């Protein structure tokens, strides 16, 4: 992550605006490639040698902040190791002991001969049965600047600039006191992954608004705690690439900026085109589920299926994102559907426990026979549960949908115009 001294921003009317690098500009692509060559060819060299070469390429001054930021991204992708023929601490202890003994002996004998470093190193080498060169090379080998580059995680110049831009946004979010996130038209599995990321990073959050097609989340930042913690701020930074995988999002953060912690804002949305470096499994829908939906269109043409983006708050204990929403075209009523095929048993039982109390009026759960859950919990559900082995039964589901539609029709018929 970029340190505070490497953060390049400007302030415009109370907003902190990161100075992202253009990913398609020849000048910056050449800079990125030059820095990449230093690390590609630097395996076996010390950290100090790499830093000296970077200094020679980059130069000094504020104008080089972006260059040094790019180098910092590369350094974070590099693995260094201590290369030494002997334990540096053992060598240092032996050299210091030998030096002290040499001085004591000289004082006791009344000699005023100059101290001979080479003689001390030779004596230590003889005592430890290694060469003088090995003693000298190992003496400070564990210092950071003497660590040697072991390996480097490769990427190209464009990816380096993209990663730098993400790190710049991350560094700004470390100063956040509150963050509002709005996500639009994302498939349910991606929203579930995003919520899991929030929980995994232990970020304090709540759903502040949930409507069809929109997911709005409030996240407390590290600066909102009693004391800002680097650990919590790091978790926020680690979460950002997961948000960047969404195709349409908007983020607004309240900041405390600068030495005086003055109030500022930071905005980020999908139009900034920051690119996540997380692996994206995409929105995978099994072929059997696709076949089930297509079959349902045939047997229940009055119902229109679509992927659901609704978030259902289950009493603050969990948030449910159903797989599908089926809308009855003549009446407009909807039914939410969840296909429980690969869930953890504990997650399924929690969902089954909370749905009757906090769930929507109409829902249907398809439960795989692979999942062994408590039958007593199933009996307490308000909505129907359909078991399936390989693929849900579209005809059985169509019959349930027909009952929902009939029930609404009977309710309407029972209400007289004058009531």
């Amino acid at each position: 992550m970029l340190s505070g001294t490497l953060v390049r921003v400007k302030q415009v009317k109370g907003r902190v605006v990161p100075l992202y690098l253009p990913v398609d500009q020849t000048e910056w692509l050449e800079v990125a490639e030059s820095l990449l060559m230093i690390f590609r060819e630097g395996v076996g060299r010390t950290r100090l040698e790499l830093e000296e070469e970077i200094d020679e390429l980059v130069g000094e001054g504020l104008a080089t902040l972006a260059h040094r930021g790019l180098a910092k991204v590369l350094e974070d992708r590099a693995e260094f190791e201590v290369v030494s023929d002997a334990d540096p601490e053992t060598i240092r202890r032996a050299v210091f002991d030998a030096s002290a003994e040499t001085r004591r002996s000289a004082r006791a004998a009344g000699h005023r001969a100059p101290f001979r470093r080479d003689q001390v190193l030779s004596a230590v080498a003889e005592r430890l049965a290694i060469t003088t060169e090995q003693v000298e090379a190992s003496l400070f080998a564990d210092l950071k600047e003497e660590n040697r580059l072991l390996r480097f995680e490769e990427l190209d110049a464009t990816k380096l600039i993209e990663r730098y831009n993400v790190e710049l946004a991350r560094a700004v979010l470390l100063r956040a006191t509150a963050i509002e996130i709005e996500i639009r038209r994302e498939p349910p599995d991606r929203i579930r992954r995003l919520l899991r990321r929030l929980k995994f990073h232990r970020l304090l959050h709540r759903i502040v608004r949930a409507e069809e097609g929109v997911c709005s989340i409030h996240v407390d930042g590290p600066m909102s705690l009693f004391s800002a913690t680097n650990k919590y701020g790091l978790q926020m930074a680690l979460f950002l690439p997961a948000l960047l995988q969404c195709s349409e999002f908007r983020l607004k953060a309240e900041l405390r900026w600068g030495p005086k912690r003055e109030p500022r804002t930071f905005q980020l949305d999908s139009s900034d085109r920051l690119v996540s470096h997380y692996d994206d499994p995409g929105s995978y829908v099994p072929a059997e589920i696709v076949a089930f939906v297509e079959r349902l269109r045939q047997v229940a043409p009055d119902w229109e299926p679509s992927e659901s983006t609704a978030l259902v708050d289950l009493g603050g204990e969990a948030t449910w994102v159903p797989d599908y929403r089926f809308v009855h075209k003549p009446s407009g009523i909807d039914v939410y559907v969840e296909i429980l095929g690969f869930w953890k048993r504990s997650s399924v039982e929690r969902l089954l426990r909370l749905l009757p109390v906090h769930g929507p009026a109409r829902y249907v759960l398809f439960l795989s026979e692979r999942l062994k859950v408590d039958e007593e919990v199933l009996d307490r559900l308000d909505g129907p549960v359909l078991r399936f082995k390989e693929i849900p039964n579209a005809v059985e589901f169509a019959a349930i949908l027909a009952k929902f539609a009939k029930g609404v029709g009977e309710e309407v018929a029972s209400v007289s115009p004058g009531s």
Side-chain angles (χ1 to χ4, degrees), residues 274-285:
L274 297 192
V275 180
S276 174
H277 54 275
Y278 283 1
D279 292 332
D280 186 3
S283 299
Y284 171 69
V285 180

Side-chain angles (χ1 to χ4, degrees), residues 323-343:
D323 288 315
Y324 290 96
R325 176 176 178 250
F326 288 80
V327 178
H328 188 233
K329 299 175 187 176
S331 67
I333 68 167
D334 55 10
V335 177
Y336 290 101
V337 174
E338 182 76 56
I339 301 174
L340 303 170
F342 301 98
W343 284 46

Side-chain angles (χ1 to χ4, degrees), residues 257-299:
W257 194 257
K260 297 182 179 180
R261 296 188 176 184
E262 296 175 325
R264 295 289 186 271
T265 61
F266 165 60
Q267 296 182 12
L268 175 68
D269 59 45
S270 42
S271 67
D272 289 307
R273 301 187 182 280
L274 297 192
V275 180
S276 174
H277 54 275
Y278 283 1
D279 292 332
D280 186 3
S283 299
Y284 171 69
V285 180
E288 57 269 23
I289 301 302
V290 175
F292 160 71
V293 173
E294 290 304 314
R295 174 59 176 158
L296 186 69
R297 291 181 187 275
Q298 298 172 6
V299 299

Side-chain angles (χ1 to χ4, degrees), residues 29-204:
L29 289 171
E30 290 176 351
V31 170
E33 188 63 36
S34 298
L35 289 167
L36 279 164
M37 289 301 297
I38 293 176
F39 282 82
R40 286 170 180 159
E41 299 176 356
V43 175
R45 302 176 66 189
T46 67
R47 190 189 296 267
L48 179 60
E49 290 173 332
L50 295 177
E51 290 176 354
E52 289 175 345
E53 190 167 349
I54 292 172
D55 288 343
E56 184 178 346
L57 171 68
V58 171
E60 299 293 338
L62 293 176
T64 68
L65 281 181
H67 302 71
R68 295 194 177 279
L70 290 167
K72 179 61 167 62
V73 172
L74 292 176
E75 182 182 345
D76 290 342
R77 300 174 64 86
E79 181 179 348
F80 292 86
E81 66 173 350
V82 176
V83 178
S84 176
D85 295 319
D87 177 50
E89 289 190 9
T90 301
I91 295 292
R92 281 196 294 272
R93 188 179 302 111
V95 170
F96 294 157
D97 289 346
S99 299
E101 180 60 31
T102 299
R103 294 183 185 279
R104 283 195 298 268
S105 299
R107 284 198 300 269
H111 294 163
R112 294 185 177 274
F115 179 79
R116 296 286 302 275
R117 181 176 183 273
D118 57 334
Q119 290 181 351
V120 172
L121 296 181
S122 296
V124 171
E126 183 177 356
R127 184 184 309 167
L128 298 178
I130 58 177
T131 65
T132 304
E133 290 75 14
Q134 288 175 316
V135 171
E136 191 154 16
S138 302
L139 192 57
F140 298 108
D142 56 346
L143 297 182
K144 182 177 180 179
E145 60 266 24
E146 294 299 323
N147 294 170
R148 294 185 180 275
L149 180 60
L150 177 63
R151 62 177 62 89
F152 165 66
E153 189 178 349
E154 182 60 79
L155 78 171
D156 60 31
T158 299
K159 292 294 183 184
L160 172 56
I161 295 175
E162 290 175 345
R163 184 64 181 271
Y164 167 82
N165 289 338
V166 172
E167 295 302 318
L168 190 54
R170 278 176 155 182
V172 173
L173 283 177
L174 286 175
R175 280 79 171 178
T177 59
I179 298 174
E180 297 287 346
I181 299 172
E182 183 177 277
I183 306 160
R184 292 182 174 273
R185 290 182 284 276
E186 287 295 327
D189 58 336
R190 188 182 297 282
I191 294 177
R192 281 194 288 263
R193 287 199 300 271
L194 194 67
L195 295 178
R196 282 199 295 268
R197 283 281 186 180
L198 284 166
K199 293 179 181 178
F200 176 78
H201 293 301
R202 298 181 179 180
L203 295 172
L204 303 174

Side-chain angles (χ1 to χ4, degrees), residues 200-307:
F200 176 78
H201 293 301
R202 298 181 179 180
L203 295 172
L204 303 174
H205 68 282
R206 63 184 183 274
I207 307 298
V208 295
R209 186 177 75 250
E211 60 186 65
E212 196 63 35
V214 179
C215 169
S216 295
I217 307 170
H218 178 95
V219 184
D220 286 331
M223 298 293 290
S224 68
L225 304 178
F226 291 109
S227 61
T229 63
N230 290 334
K231 183 178 180 180
Y232 191 88
L234 178 61
Q235 296 306 310
M236 173 62 70
L238 292 175
F239 166 74
L240 179 61
L243 176 63
L244 297 179
Q245 291 178 329
C246 297
S247 57
E248 187 177 347
F249 71 90
R250 183 173 61 197
L251 177 150
K252 182 177 180 180
E254 301 295 330
L255 310 176
R256 291 294 179 181
W257 194 257
K260 297 182 179 180
R261 296 188 176 184
E262 296 175 325
R264 295 289 186 271
T265 61
F266 165 60
Q267 296 182 12
L268 175 68
D269 59 45
S270 42
S271 67
D272 289 307
R273 301 187 182 280
L274 297 192
V275 180
S276 174
H277 54 275
Y278 283 1
D279 292 332
D280 186 3
S283 299
Y284 171 69
V285 180
E288 57 269 23
I289 301 302
V290 175
F292 160 71
V293 173
E294 290 304 314
R295 174 59 176 158
L296 186 69
R297 291 181 187 275
Q298 298 172 6
V299 299
D302 286 344
W303 291 84
E304 182 62 34
S306 63
E307 287 188 327

